[in-house]
Amino acid sequence: MLMVGLTGGIGSGKSAVSARLVERGAVLIDADQVAREVVAPGTDGLAAIVEAFSERVLDTDGALDRAALGAVVFPDEASRRRLEAIIHPRVRARTAELAAAAPPDAVVVNDVPLLVEVGLAPSYHLVLVVQTAMATRLERLARDRGMDRAEAERRIAAQADDARRRAAADVVLTNDGTLAELHAAVDALWQERLLPYEANLCARRAVRSHGVALAEADPTWPEQYARLAARIRHATAPADLRIDHIGSTAVPGLAAKDVIDIQLTVPRLADADGPLADRLADAGFPRLPGEWWDAPRPRGSGRWPKRLHGSADPARPVHLHIREVDSPGWRYALLVRDHLRADPDQRSAYLLLKRELAASAPDSATYTTAKDPWFDEEHLRAEEWAAQSGWRP
């Protein structure tokens, strides 16, 4: 199943987003609702809260008085952390139970207000953030929840800011317009990304890019890599495998095909088979069929074998190269990246070549092959630079 993490600041309107996703067919797990469930009267969660904060946080019926609890914990970070340590593990356990009960081909949306704050983003296939202007949020909190401005500002300040949420987001939905506009954006996301992503995930099918269109250098490519790498790291835990951003999108200023190249390092190439391949596929990075290798440098020294995975996300193509540590292909990927980062002249020369070939190559395979002579020479230049600079992978 496709697991989507939905979050947004208090008053952002993410409940409207989650409701629309449910109308489209999503299975919703509401973390706030689960959080109420795990501290209902008679639960060990409520007992732990009373032990931590006394019976002053109970109402006359013995249930949790959330307003009284909020007055205790929101002004004090230590108290807030203590409350989170009680609630969050119980919410995670119950959430896992609810997700396991969903159909195997479902799109499961987990509405989590503190998704970013508690570091859950890497555990989802996709993170969706609802973002709304501060003035609108304050107005909604006063109108819909009866909060005065000071209390609303305290609640907002206790959460991650917009910049931190955007860094964790694969999709940002801006909710400053009408409800109809928001619904249209959610519907497009559902049809164009979520449903195809779920289908690809079930089929263990990776998105392939066969064209040669170059995108101008995107300053967000490193941020996109960081989110992908965090998911890969989460999927391969507890193994602590090295992950690197490689290829043209890892070199500032280079136009490139809009595909994020990532290198995952394994002790032995055989380690890339079996359970590791399955975990990556489950996380949204299925293996591409067939045998894969890199062209050797210099030529004639035999193929450099690797495993190649892609992305099931139709909006974010990925090439995940799995290579053995200290192998020639592993070293070469890191060396060329670092040399191009360090040498502006060669970076410019490579950019010119890419533009010329992209204009003339009919397909991706021809484009890649046509670059081979340049990379044969780049291999020599990069090795000379490595010897002079003391470079190490």
Side-chain angles (χ1 to χ4, degrees):
M1 64 187 70
L2 182 70
M3 298 295 298
V4 178
L6 170 64
T7 194
I10 185 171
S12 64
K14 62 182 175 58
S15 295
V17 173
S18 65
R20 187 63 172 182
L21 287 168
V22 169
E23 290 178 9
R24 299 298 87 185
V27 174
L28 177 66
I29 301 175
D30 187 329
D32 277 344
Q33 182 177 332
V34 173
R36 287 180 171 85
E37 179 183 327
V38 300
V39 295
T43 62
D44 67 336
L46 182 59
I49 288 176
V50 171
E51 182 179 355
F53 301 106
S54 81
E55 293 187 354
R56 60 181 169 160
V57 299
L58 297 178
D59 62 19
T60 55
D61 296 324
L64 183 65
D65 185 332
R66 298 177 72 85
L69 179 62
V72 172
V73 302
F74 277 108
D76 179 59
E77 183 176 355
S79 295
R80 189 166 66 250
R81 297 300 182 194
R82 191 175 184 185
L83 177 63
E84 290 170 356
I86 294 170
I87 293 179
H88 291 171
R90 291 170 171 83
V91 169
R92 285 195 291 269
R94 180 57 180 154
T95 297
E97 292 177 0
L98 293 171
D105 60 349
V107 175
V108 177
V109 176
N110 195 4
D111 181 342
V112 188
L114 299 181
L115 183 151
V116 173
E117 290 85 340
V118 298
L120 292 177
S123 65
Y124 297 99
H125 295 107
L126 195 80
V127 171
L128 172 59
V129 168
V130 185
Q131 180 175 290
T132 307
M134 180 68 72
T136 304
R137 293 169 66 187
L138 291 171
E139 179 184 342
R140 287 175 181 164
L141 292 172
R143 181 191 66 214
D144 301 337
R145 307 195 192 186
M147 285 189 194
D148 62 43
R149 185 180 182 89
E151 175 64 12
E153 289 178 342
R154 279 197 298 271
R155 295 290 185 99
I156 290 172
Q159 297 180 334
D161 60 22
D162 285 345
R164 189 175 168 195
R165 287 196 196 91
R166 283 194 300 269
D170 300 286
V171 179
V172 176
L173 285 178
T174 300
N175 186 23
D176 292 319
T178 66
L179 185 60
E181 290 171 335
L182 180 65
H183 283 177
V186 173
D187 291 350
L189 174 67
W190 178 260
Q191 291 294 335
E192 297 169 12
R193 191 166 187 177
L194 299 186
L195 286 183
Y197 195 168
E198 187 277 327
N200 289 340
L201 192 65
C202 284
R204 297 202 166 191
R205 179 174 55 238
V207 175
R208 298 300 308 275
S209 175
H210 299 286
V212 194
L214 293 184
E216 291 304 314
D218 186 340
T220 72
W221 277 335
E223 296 174 7
Q224 295 181 54
Y225 156 76
R227 290 194 293 271
L228 295 163
R231 288 194 178 100
I232 293 167
R233 189 169 291 110
H234 183 268
T236 57
D240 186 18
L241 302 178
R242 175 172 173 172
I243 306 172
D244 291 280
H245 189 189
I246 59 170
S248 292
T249 61
V251 181
L254 268 187
K257 291 189 293 183
D258 190 16
V259 179
I260 304 295
D261 283 280
I262 301 173
Q263 179 166 273
L264 177 64
T265 303
V266 291
R268 298 175 305 113
L269 193 55
D271 296 332
D273 304 324
L276 179 61
D278 290 337
R279 290 198 297 270
L280 289 171
D282 290 342
F285 303 96
R287 176 173 289 185
L288 293 172
E291 297 294 322
W292 296 91
W293 58 87
D294 299 307
R297 317 286 175 187
R299 298 192 192 191
S301 58
R303 292 172 173 175
W304 293 346
K306 65 180 178 181
R307 303 291 185 265
L308 186 63
H309 289 236
S311 170
D313 182 355
R316 175 26 66 212
V318 170
H319 288 158
L320 176 57
H321 310 260
I322 305 181
R323 297 185 175 107
E324 186 173 312
V325 65
D326 294 327
S327 65
W330 174 87
R331 182 181 185 278
Y332 184 73
L334 299 171
L335 172 61
V336 171
R337 177 201 66 186
D338 290 351
H339 180 231
L340 291 177
R341 285 175 173 177
D343 191 326
D345 292 336
Q346 290 307 318
R347 190 164 61 246
S348 297
Y350 183 41
L351 177 58
L352 179 61
L353 174 70
K354 285 162 68 77
R355 293 194 188 283
E356 291 175 349
L357 293 178
S360 60
D363 54 57
S364 184
T366 303
Y367 170 78
T368 300
T369 302
K371 292 190 295 183
D372 275 345
W374 189 89
F375 274 110
D376 287 339
E377 296 179 2
E378 168 61 12
H379 166 71
L380 300 176
R381 290 189 295 264
E383 289 291 1
E384 182 179 358
W385 169 78
Q388 293 174 349
S389 66
W391 175 86
R392 293 291 182 273

